[in-house]
Amino acid sequence: EAPLLLTTICRDWRRVALNTPRLWRTLHIYLPPHLNNRAISRRAVGISTWLGRSGKLPLSISFHIRSQPMRTPLRTGTAHPDFFDNAKLLISTIASFGHRIGDLFLSLPPPFLKMFDEISGRPFLVLEHFRVRDANAYNGGYLAWNPEGGHDDLCFAPLLARTVALRSLEVSDIHV
């Protein structure tokens, strides 16, 4: 994928690509449930490197976690035993760039939305566009997280309170 593809053409293209911050300001991150600790550590380093190349530009980040490989709402998943710790590492990595995130899309199950809020902690000073959805509900699996069916609070609400420049909010597949 671009811009990585541009770095493989020749030395000059690599130099130009690596020194063009606008190419590195957008990133989609997906955490599948089966990755081991080593793969997650490499992914965290890759995220830091990628976003670091964006200089001081505002960032656009899409972060998707599907905690369980679900086909039906009641199926139990086969997530890696360290899945929560792995998610925490990636969330911490993203949160370290929180002061520069201008567009954020979180497609996470409620426990991870709550974790994102707790880890990020600081204000999102330039966040203008925020989209959020319960990834498991989107995939038809929210009952696996809460047997009573639904959630008793909006896990992302405290994060909203820390956005000072928010202009648009899109919420989908969140059950309250």
Side-chain angles (χ1 to χ4, degrees), residues 69-118:
M70 296 184 194
R71 298 276 185 239
T72 65
L74 298 175
R75 180 175 170 198
T76 57
T78 56
H80 191 275
D82 298 324
F83 192 62
F84 278 94
D85 291 334
N86 290 339
K88 197 177 279 190
L89 175 61
L90 292 188
I91 290 170
S92 296
T93 303
I94 295 167
S96 69
F97 292 91
H99 63 287
R100 293 186 32 226
I101 298 175
D103 187 342
L104 180 61
F105 177 28
L106 298 177
S107 179
L108 311 175
F112 295 100
L113 283 170
K114 194 170 252 178
M115 185 189 304
F116 190 93
D117 176 59
E118 290 168 358

Side-chain angles (χ1 to χ4, degrees), residues 13 30 36 46 58 77 79 81 84 98 105 112 127 158 161 168:
W13 280 58
Y30 173 66
N36 63 31
F84 278 94
F105 177 28
F112 295 100
L127 183 62
S168 71

Side-chain angles (χ1 to χ4, degrees), residues 12-34:
D12 290 335
W13 280 58
R14 178 178 175 76
R15 183 179 41 78
V16 169
L18 293 176
N19 292 303
T20 306
R22 291 184 71 91
L23 294 175
W24 305 95
R25 62 181 295 262
T26 300
L27 182 60
H28 172 74
I29 304 158
Y30 173 66
L31 175 60
H34 64 275

Side-chain angles (χ1 to χ4, degrees), residues 14-80:
R14 178 178 175 76
R15 183 179 41 78
V16 169
L18 293 176
N19 292 303
T20 306
R22 291 184 71 91
L23 294 175
W24 305 95
R25 62 181 295 262
T26 300
L27 182 60
H28 172 74
I29 304 158
Y30 173 66
L31 175 60
H34 64 275
L35 291 182
N36 63 31
N37 294 348
R38 185 170 177 233
I40 294 297
S41 294
R42 283 195 324 253
R43 194 165 282 198
V45 168
I47 291 168
S48 289
T49 302
W50 183 291
L51 296 176
R53 289 178 180 155
S54 66
K56 296 181 180 186
L57 295 174
L59 301 170
S60 178
I61 296 177
S62 168
F63 185 38
H64 179 84
I65 293 177
R66 194 162 112 206
S67 60
Q68 302 179 32
M70 296 184 194
R71 298 276 185 239
T72 65
L74 298 175
R75 180 175 170 198
T76 57
T78 56
H80 191 275

